[in-house]
Amino acid sequence: LMTWSINWDLVNRREFALNHAPYLRSVFLRADAATFSATTGGTVNFALRGGRGHAQRYHYLAAGLSGTTPGTSLPGLAIPLNLDNLSALALSGAAPTLFQGFAGRLDASGDAVAKLAAPPIPGAAGNTVHLAYVPANPWDFASNAVAVKIVP
């Protein structure tokens, strides 16, 4: 089991673990947008980076509206996401046009892409969708969480 975080030295404006920075920057979940519109909908693309150690493994990208603290625990693993009804919908496969690539297989480099293709969602402005992914079998790694704000 490995847990990590990028520690930032606010005084010196640099990372504490500089020797690990290249690895830590390569293992992540990243979104290409920080917002989408409740009025018009929108698309957010995600890059899942697991590294070669997770190549060809199945992955699950979960989304939730309940924040990241305290998170969700699996045996030996903490996922930085509170699972809720949106998580169940995203992971169920019941809305494949909305949650594209949220379940799938990491490629030979341990990478994958996913897309949230949201239609207009009246009344959703002000909410934040948090997302995180885990590779399966074994459940030994969880990505960082990313936040996508729903704006008017």
Side-chain angles (χ1 to χ4, degrees), residues 40-127:
T40 62
T43 299
V44 182
N45 296 295
F46 300 94
L48 291 69
R49 303 278 186 250
R52 292 192 185 278
H54 299 288
Q56 301 301 324
R57 289 176 57 187
Y58 286 100
H59 71 80
Y60 298 96
L61 174 59
L65 292 167
S66 301
T68 60
T69 304
T72 301
S73 294
L74 293 176
L77 181 64
I79 303 169
L81 183 69
N82 296 330
L83 299 179
D84 56 23
N85 290 336
L86 182 62
S87 310
L89 180 63
L91 295 173
S92 72
T97 56
L98 178 61
F99 303 106
Q100 299 172 27
F102 274 51
R105 196 175 195 94
L106 299 172
D107 67 16
S109 296
D111 299 339
V113 295
K115 181 188 297 189
L116 174 65
I121 309 170
N127 288 299

Side-chain angles (χ1 to χ4, degrees), residues 26-47:
S26 69
V27 181
F28 60 82
L29 172 63
R30 183 173 291 164
D32 71 350
T35 64
F36 71 87
S37 170
T39 305
T40 62
T43 299
V44 182
N45 296 295
F46 300 94

